[in-house]
Amino acid sequence: MTKPGRGHWRSRIGFIWAAAGSAVGLGNIWRFPYMAGENGGSIFVLVYLGCVLLLGLPVMIAEVMLGKATQSNPVGAFRALAGRHSPWQLVGFMGVLAAFVILSFYSVVAGWCLDFLYKTVTGVFRPGHTMEEVTRIFEQLLASPRPQIAFHGVFMLLTVGIVVAGVQKGLERWNKILMPALIVILLVLVGYGLTQPGGAPAMQFMLRADPSKLTAKTVLAAMGQCFFSLSLGMGAMLTYGSYMRREDRIPTAAAWVVAMDTGIALLAGFAVFPIVFTFGQSPQGGPGLVFKALPAAFLQMPGGTAVALAFFVLLLFAALTSSISLLEVITAYFVDEYQMPRRTAATMFGLVCFLMGVGCAYSGGYLDFLDQLQSNYLLPFGALLISLFAGWRLDKTVAREEFAGTRYARLHGAWRVCVRFVCPILVLLIFLNATGLLAKLFGP
Ligand code: TRP
């Protein structure tokens, strides 16, 4: 039975689109290329793909399962399954905390997109601008808190507005049209980039893995990116799973979402690096990489202004469908647990995230700190506990039923091994390795 009084997706693919909407966002287009650039390119890509298969997919299934089984927010889900006084509820709390951390800097970066739209419309960016000019304009933005805060505020208002409107009206509608459009425009960019002089070196950079560049830091970065990009480890997918209808099956849906998210991240990489190399820039451009490279390409290509507008509008929508999933975690928690009106919860905590994010406009170091906090600690730790819980505490039959009758039925056993052993151990090893503890414990 589905609980009365709680919203549900209207169709089987309602969940897939909303979950893909949450997954696909700045993480794919802004963060993936810059992380790959800073961590050795192809080797990062390779490790990332490994993480997606061994960690991302199983944890996605586990997390959605906890939500669907309880039809509850993250805290309520662990309480329902583990008991009222169980420490497992802390996993839910940690998720809500992570949502605050992520949303506060996410909205600042989304604000950069708004600023680009504004500058394209008002003619600050003009066709023919070189990479140097684009870089100068972007760095000027980073040095001015006021416009950053203003656009951060606008983006947060949009997010709050959609979350207030509620599950079905707010979340389910947009992705179907806008995500395919984003894919099309990325394909155009990839096509453009590959015909440029930087195309060949970019392919090498993305594809020819050099194992000598493999470091503990690269692996940690890839793991964090995997959880961040798939919206895992803090209850966003759990919350979306809680709106799933009983009759819908999880493994198929999860596989779709993971495939879509990974495909779009790779496309973004193949779109960005040809441009970076064509203009002789370093791939280690940091958080500004994409914001310098893409506009520079737009302004050089024929009809570039229109492409730039289309691209940033679509990126903005992708960011919005992600940010609403973050605010939704916070909102669902306060609505379910404290019977707070939806409108009040979304508005109040949207404001809190806005205030927490303001510091990012003054200091890139603070933005970086929040980002590292979520990707290196909060999400991996959350994912670790979620997989342990689904593997060891959750009633076996719940998972078996989810796999039964899908084309993944035979993978039930493999999934179970993953969430019981592979995921927890891998996350722990990667974490200990990167902090140097592993070497201390077992080193010579
Ligand atoms: N996955 C989103 C992106 O790639 C960001 C995001 C939305 C997220 N909700 C999340 C990340 C929940 C972690 C947890 O842009």
Side-chain angles (χ1 to χ4, degrees), residues 97-398:
L97 178 76
F100 277 104
V101 171
I102 297 174
L103 185 54
S104 54
F105 78 84
Y106 201 83
S107 167
V108 175
V109 179
W112 298 347
C113 300
L114 275 170
D115 178 79
F116 266 98
L117 270 177
Y118 176 76
K119 283 184 177 140
T120 309
V121 174
T122 54
V124 176
F125 283 124
R126 279 205 219 93
H129 267 173
T130 59
M131 184 106 173
E132 283 72 44
E133 281 159 305
V134 173
T135 302
R136 190 182 52 75
I137 294 173
F138 181 69
E139 273 167 6
Q140 219 168 31
L141 172 69
L142 287 191
S144 7
R146 278 248 205 100
Q148 285 191 78
I149 294 171
F151 287 117
H152 164 47
V154 172
F155 185 80
M156 199 64 89
L157 267 178
L158 290 171
T159 305
V160 170
I162 301 178
V163 170
V164 166
V167 179
Q168 298 187 337
K169 269 185 285 168
L171 306 185
E172 207 171 335
R173 202 189 286 155
W174 290 100
N175 294 304
K176 295 175 226 208
I177 316 158
L178 296 170
M179 204 160 342
L182 181 69
I183 296 177
V184 169
I185 215 161
L186 277 173
L187 283 171
V188 170
L189 278 172
V190 173
Y192 172 83
L194 293 183
T195 61
Q196 300 293 307
M203 289 303 268
Q204 282 223 349
F205 183 73
M206 284 281 289
L207 295 177
R208 180 169 304 160
D210 175 358
S212 70
K213 289 213 185 106
L214 187 65
T215 64
K217 190 181 140 262
T218 301
V219 182
L220 182 69
M223 173 173 74
Q225 174 64 22
C226 163
F227 293 138
F228 180 77
S229 189
L230 293 170
S231 305
L232 292 175
M234 45 73 72
M237 288 297 168
L238 191 155
T239 304
Y240 276 11
S242 76
Y243 303 131
M244 244 175 148
R245 303 175 310 170
R246 268 287 173 259
E247 60 270 29
D248 300 335
R249 288 287 162 262
I250 296 171
T252 325
W256 270 107
V257 175
V258 170
M260 222 180 309
D261 186 75
T262 308
I264 291 179
L266 290 174
L267 276 183
F270 284 114
V272 169
F273 287 113
I275 301 160
V276 169
F277 286 111
T278 300
F279 290 103
Q281 300 289 311
S282 156
Q284 292 170 313
L289 182 72
V290 175
F291 286 94
K292 294 167 191 165
L294 289 182
F298 293 139
L299 300 174
Q300 297 288 326
M301 61 168 81
T305 315
V307 185
L309 277 179
F311 179 80
F312 278 107
V313 167
L314 292 172
L315 182 53
L316 203 67
F317 272 103
L320 263 176
T321 53
S322 301
S323 65
I324 55 183
S325 78
L326 290 160
L327 189 56
E328 180 66 24
V329 169
I330 302 172
T331 306
Y333 169 64
F334 284 97
V335 170
D336 288 359
E337 299 292 307
Y338 300 96
Q339 283 75 45
M340 208 182 253
R342 199 174 173 79
R343 177 184 293 271
T344 315
T347 312
M348 199 156 98
F349 298 110
L351 183 65
V352 171
C353 290
F354 170 75
L355 294 175
M356 278 173 66
V358 163
C360 299
Y362 290 92
S363 150
Y366 173 60
L367 194 155
D368 220 44
F369 164 75
L370 294 177
D371 192 17
Q372 299 289 311
L373 178 65
Q374 58 88 9
S375 76
N376 292 349
Y377 299 91
L378 295 176
L379 297 186
F381 195 49
L384 170 93
L385 294 172
I386 286 170
S387 79
L388 281 178
F389 190 88
W392 296 93
R393 283 293 300 262
L394 190 67
D395 186 357
K396 254 193 258 175
T397 52
V398 174

Side-chain angles (χ1 to χ4, degrees), residues 12-48:
R12 190 175 71 78
I13 56 171
F15 167 80
I16 297 187
W17 280 114
S22 165
V24 174
L26 296 171
N28 305 61
I29 291 169
W30 159 70
R31 203 172 186 278
F32 178 79
Y34 118 63
M35 280 289 137
E38 287 203 326
N39 290 289
S42 50
I43 193 70
F44 176 89
V45 175
L46 198 66
V47 176
Y48 177 77

